[in-house]
Amino acid sequence: VSEGKKAKIEEVALDGVKAFKTKKLVKKMKNRPRKIYLPQELDNDFKAIETFYKNNGYSEFKLEGSSVVFNEDKSKVYVKAAVAEGPLQRFGATTFSGNTVYSSKILAELLEYRRGKLFNQEKLDDTLRTLQDKYADKGYLKALLKPEKTPSAATGALDINFNITENNPIYVGNIDVEG
C-alpha cells in the first residue's frame, strides 16, 4: 500500500462574499489553508458559513455551488464556493394567525427577538420551540406553527407571521404504574 502525500488545503476561495471578510468566514471551517483536507467535513463547513450568515441578518443566504480541485500529485487542494448573500435584514412586525387558545398578546411575550434587531435564524428557531412548548402545556401536542417571512416594502424589515394550526388537544386516557 502506497498512501502517498497528505493533501493539504492550499486555498479557500469564496466568490460573492461582500458583507464579511473572507478570512473571518474561512475561520469557521475545518478545511482551511495549511490544514489537512477532510472531505467528510466539507458539508459541515458550508453549513457553518450558512449558519453564520443567517444569524447575522442574511435570511436569504444561499450556497450556489462549490468545487474541490487537486494539483497533479494530489498534495494540494483548492476549495472554491460561490455564495449569494441576499439583503441584510432586520426583524419587523410579528403577527399571529389561526390562534384561538392563546391571544396574540400572550404569544408575543414569548418572542426571543425584538423588532429592529438584525435577523437571527437561531432566535427565530428558539421562538418557534417556545411557542410549541406553550401549546404543548395545554395538550396541543400536534399544533403546527409555520413562520412566514415577508419583506416589508415600507420599512425594509422582515415581517414574520406565525400561521398556527392548533388541531385538537390530546388527553391522557390511561396511566399504568408497575413495580
Side-chain angles (χ1 to χ4, degrees), residues 143-162:
L144 299 173
L145 291 94
K146 186 178 173 195
E148 296 166 347
K149 299 180 266 187
T150 312
S152 169
T155 62
L158 192 65
D159 293 343
I160 297 172
N161 177 52
F162 285 95

Side-chain angles (χ1 to χ4, degrees), residues 75-133:
S75 64
K76 294 180 182 173
V77 182
Y78 301 87
V79 178
K80 190 172 188 175
V83 303
E85 293 178 337
L88 179 65
Q89 295 173 314
R90 296 185 177 278
F91 282 113
T94 301
T95 55
F96 301 91
S97 59
N99 52 315
T100 58
V101 176
Y102 295 107
S103 69
S104 294
K105 185 179 178 187
I106 290 171
L107 295 176
E109 291 171 2
L110 302 173
L111 299 178
E112 301 282 335
Y113 57 85
R114 286 201 312 255
R115 188 178 189 154
K117 295 288 183 188
L118 278 179
F119 176 82
N120 185 318
Q121 186 66 47
E122 228 170 65
K123 288 188 178 185
L124 183 62
D125 293 343
D126 289 347
T127 297
L128 196 56
R129 272 190 294 281
T130 303
L131 292 171
Q132 285 176 325
D133 289 347

